[in-house]
Amino acid sequence: MRSSASGTGVGLVVSSGTHLGRGMYSHCLQGMRGSRSSSGRDVRVFGSVVSGCGATFSGVERGQLRSVVIAVSAVLCFTGMPMAVGGADPLPTPQNDLFYTPPAGWDSQAPGTILNSRPVEVASLTPRAQDADAWQLLYRTTDTDGAPMATVTTVLRPRTGQVKGLISYQAATDASAPQCAPSYVLRQGAPDKYDSSLDLIQIEQMLSSGHAISVPDWEGPKGTLFTPRQPGYAALDGVRAAQGFAPLGLSGTDTPVAAMGYSGGSIGTSWAAQMQPTYAPEIRLTGVAMGGWTAPIGSYLGTLDAGPFSGFLPSLLPGMLRADPRLAAAFDKYLTPAGQALMAAGDSKCVTSNVAQHAFLRMDDYLTIPFSQLLEQVQESLAELDFSPVAQTAPLFLYNAVHDEIVTIAGPDKAVAQWCASGARITYTRDQLSEHVSLAISATPAVLRWIDERLAGQAAPDGCSTRTVTSMSLGGA
């Protein structure tokens, strides 16, 4: 990566084959397309040039742009191009698929009751589907307010052998639109793999370890992301549905269960851990693994603003506003007409499109008061979203990249110290070489080794431990 003068601006030229980050992903850049940032800068993170049209990027912003290139090109590298899969008729989106409509009387069923099922094929990073038997289960669960809700989980098992246990894997949806739900984007024949690529990698490794998997739509039918309780209810009832689905070959409530999620998926995973002792005490939750997690939520939203990953804001906020009338009222009061349009547009797209389109978006440009001031006003609502391990009983495995460009490690470091002081059982690993996207891939073998031990009945160490390793891919856990 090199800088070159262009008028009053600074262009960052990324050539095919240039050393990028730590040498990763540079070969994937050739031929990729660009996008324009909301500030008017032509931030072509998908292409060969990142230029500042009429504006000067600071040294910090140049470093941030490097992070964008690494993160986005990593996804494209592992998914390949083009992304379209299959030649059959396009899959109907959830809002146009009758499978997602529960039958009459569904709301009187017990949580975890299967309401409908169908066999499906789950995509892989090759043109072929995952080598697994897979189904989708529509089941009854509970929303944040305690009312009945129906959602879907995608369940898989290896085609041969006895499954070792069940992993509830909460995907990092990070968007509110129905077509971004795991039950849609994971299917063979979905329009592209951009928004499921990291999930597909991890699912394949879980299957190779001999586990059955439940991948719930934990955001629910309304796409209510980052809301208290509901993500946990949906994940736990997905486990109940999977345990009761005979083709998976599980042992009912005797099945050992682990929960796993990375980045946005850590939200659903943390709530599953927090709600299990009271909501689903019969589930044998043996361990919970979370990485790249957002703690606390308010600080996380603030750090996204005006940065290279500010496109997460119009991707996440619409679902948060739909979930909490207090948040909705506060934002409606201060959003400008352009801000309202931004939220509506973000609500219709998945996270990759939002992040690519809105690099360096400044929420102050869409509000009548500073974004930081608005976050202070809604702090009570945001605080309700944060995870506390004190109420949960399963051991925790937490991991983060020291140089994470999306989720700064200061929040997790502080939270772990506080939780350990409260008596939680935590194994915490800090990875020095990885960044946000690369850690999602490189850490998975170490995470699955830890989960294998828990599902096999091996007790986790008592107390807390924190380690900083060179790379979890080298066996550091």
Side-chain angles (χ1 to χ4, degrees), residues 252-268:
T253 56
D254 290 332
T255 305
V257 177
M260 176 178 172
Y262 188 83
S263 191
S266 67
I267 299 297

mmCIF file of all heavy atoms in Angstrom, residues 252-268:
data_model
loop_
_atom_site.group_PDB
_atom_site.id
_atom_site.type_symbol
_atom_site.label_atom_id
_atom_site.label_comp_id
_atom_site.label_asym_id
_atom_site.label_seq_id
_atom_site.Cartn_x
_atom_site.Cartn_y
_atom_site.Cartn_z
ATOM 1 N N GLY A 252 -32.187 -36.165 23.412
ATOM 2 C CA GLY A 252 -33.117 -35.323 24.147
ATOM 3 C C GLY A 252 -32.394 -34.408 25.113
ATOM 4 O O GLY A 252 -31.338 -33.849 24.799
ATOM 5 N N THR A 253 -32.941 -34.259 26.305
ATOM 6 C CA THR A 253 -32.337 -33.350 27.285
ATOM 7 C C THR A 253 -31.040 -33.896 27.876
ATOM 8 O O THR A 253 -30.355 -33.173 28.607
ATOM 9 C CB THR A 253 -33.334 -33.058 28.422
ATOM 10 O OG1 THR A 253 -33.758 -34.294 29.005
ATOM 11 C CG2 THR A 253 -34.543 -32.301 27.894
ATOM 12 N N ASP A 254 -30.674 -35.150 27.552
ATOM 13 C CA ASP A 254 -29.372 -35.685 27.987
ATOM 14 C C ASP A 254 -28.240 -35.206 27.075
ATOM 15 O O ASP A 254 -27.071 -35.440 27.378
ATOM 16 C CB ASP A 254 -29.391 -37.215 27.996
ATOM 17 C CG ASP A 254 -30.276 -37.775 29.101
ATOM 18 O OD1 ASP A 254 -30.432 -37.083 30.136
ATOM 19 O OD2 ASP A 254 -30.815 -38.878 28.924
ATOM 20 N N THR A 255 -28.590 -34.558 25.983
ATOM 21 C CA THR A 255 -27.577 -34.109 25.028
ATOM 22 C C THR A 255 -26.717 -33.001 25.630
ATOM 23 O O THR A 255 -27.243 -31.980 26.090
ATOM 24 C CB THR A 255 -28.250 -33.560 23.750
ATOM 25 O OG1 THR A 255 -29.119 -34.553 23.207
ATOM 26 C CG2 THR A 255 -27.216 -33.147 22.719
ATOM 27 N N PRO A 256 -25.391 -33.147 25.626
ATOM 28 C CA PRO A 256 -24.545 -32.030 26.053
ATOM 29 C C PRO A 256 -24.578 -30.932 24.996
ATOM 30 O O PRO A 256 -24.544 -31.201 23.801
ATOM 31 C CB PRO A 256 -23.162 -32.661 26.174
ATOM 32 C CG PRO A 256 -23.185 -33.836 25.261
ATOM 33 C CD PRO A 256 -24.605 -34.347 25.273
ATOM 34 N N VAL A 257 -24.649 -29.680 25.463
ATOM 35 C CA VAL A 257 -24.836 -28.534 24.570
ATOM 36 C C VAL A 257 -23.756 -27.496 24.850
ATOM 37 O O VAL A 257 -23.381 -27.249 26.002
ATOM 38 C CB VAL A 257 -26.232 -27.895 24.773
ATOM 39 C CG1 VAL A 257 -26.399 -26.665 23.888
ATOM 40 C CG2 VAL A 257 -27.331 -28.920 24.484
ATOM 41 N N ALA A 258 -23.256 -26.891 23.795
ATOM 42 C CA ALA A 258 -22.370 -25.736 23.905
ATOM 43 C C ALA A 258 -22.949 -24.616 23.063
ATOM 44 O O ALA A 258 -23.703 -24.857 22.114
ATOM 45 C CB ALA A 258 -20.956 -26.076 23.444
ATOM 46 N N ALA A 259 -22.629 -23.381 23.409
ATOM 47 C CA ALA A 259 -23.066 -22.211 22.644
ATOM 48 C C ALA A 259 -21.838 -21.475 22.138
ATOM 49 O O ALA A 259 -20.828 -21.369 22.841
ATOM 50 C CB ALA A 259 -23.922 -21.285 23.498
ATOM 51 N N MET A 260 -21.938 -20.940 20.930
ATOM 52 C CA MET A 260 -20.774 -20.329 20.280
ATOM 53 C C MET A 260 -21.238 -19.183 19.404
ATOM 54 O O MET A 260 -22.264 -19.260 18.727
ATOM 55 C CB MET A 260 -20.050 -21.394 19.446
ATOM 56 C CG MET A 260 -18.886 -20.908 18.626
ATOM 57 S SD MET A 260 -18.131 -22.323 17.745
ATOM 58 C CE MET A 260 -16.967 -21.472 16.686
ATOM 59 N N GLY A 261 -20.510 -18.077 19.417
ATOM 60 C CA GLY A 261 -20.827 -16.952 18.550
ATOM 61 C C GLY A 261 -19.666 -15.988 18.491
ATOM 62 O O GLY A 261 -18.919 -15.832 19.462
ATOM 63 N N TYR A 262 -19.510 -15.341 17.356
ATOM 64 C CA TYR A 262 -18.415 -14.385 17.158
ATOM 65 C C TYR A 262 -18.986 -13.048 16.702
ATOM 66 O O TYR A 262 -19.949 -12.994 15.950
ATOM 67 C CB TYR A 262 -17.427 -14.918 16.112
ATOM 68 C CG TYR A 262 -16.175 -14.069 15.986
ATOM 69 C CD1 TYR A 262 -15.117 -14.238 16.877
ATOM 70 C CD2 TYR A 262 -16.065 -13.094 15.008
ATOM 71 C CE1 TYR A 262 -13.975 -13.452 16.785
ATOM 72 C CE2 TYR A 262 -14.927 -12.306 14.905
ATOM 73 C CZ TYR A 262 -13.884 -12.484 15.799
ATOM 74 O OH TYR A 262 -12.761 -11.701 15.710
ATOM 75 N N SER A 263 -18.377 -11.967 17.164
ATOM 76 C CA SER A 263 -18.769 -10.611 16.776
ATOM 77 C C SER A 263 -20.240 -10.392 17.134
ATOM 78 O O SER A 263 -20.626 -10.591 18.281
ATOM 79 C CB SER A 263 -18.488 -10.394 15.288
ATOM 80 O OG SER A 263 -18.620 -9.039 14.923
ATOM 81 N N GLY A 264 -21.081 -10.017 16.163
ATOM 82 C CA GLY A 264 -22.492 -9.817 16.473
ATOM 83 C C GLY A 264 -23.150 -11.059 17.022
ATOM 84 O O GLY A 264 -24.115 -10.984 17.790
ATOM 85 N N GLY A 265 -22.640 -12.240 16.647
ATOM 86 C CA GLY A 265 -23.184 -13.484 17.177
ATOM 87 C C GLY A 265 -22.933 -13.672 18.655
ATOM 88 O O GLY A 265 -23.594 -14.494 19.299
ATOM 89 N N SER A 266 -21.987 -12.902 19.207
ATOM 90 C CA SER A 266 -21.750 -12.996 20.645
ATOM 91 C C SER A 266 -22.925 -12.432 21.440
ATOM 92 O O SER A 266 -23.103 -12.787 22.610
ATOM 93 C CB SER A 266 -20.460 -12.258 21.014
ATOM 94 O OG SER A 266 -20.585 -10.860 20.810
ATOM 95 N N ILE A 267 -23.732 -11.566 20.819
ATOM 96 C CA ILE A 267 -24.911 -11.027 21.513
ATOM 97 C C ILE A 267 -25.899 -12.157 21.802
ATOM 98 O O ILE A 267 -26.339 -12.360 22.935
ATOM 99 C CB ILE A 267 -25.574 -9.924 20.676
ATOM 100 C CG1 ILE A 267 -24.608 -8.754 20.453
ATOM 101 C CG2 ILE A 267 -26.855 -9.441 21.355
ATOM 102 C CD1 ILE A 267 -24.195 -8.046 21.715
ATOM 103 N N GLY A 268 -26.265 -12.900 20.757
ATOM 104 C CA GLY A 268 -27.178 -14.016 20.968
ATOM 105 C C GLY A 268 -26.611 -15.057 21.898
ATOM 106 O O GLY A 268 -27.322 -15.631 22.738
#
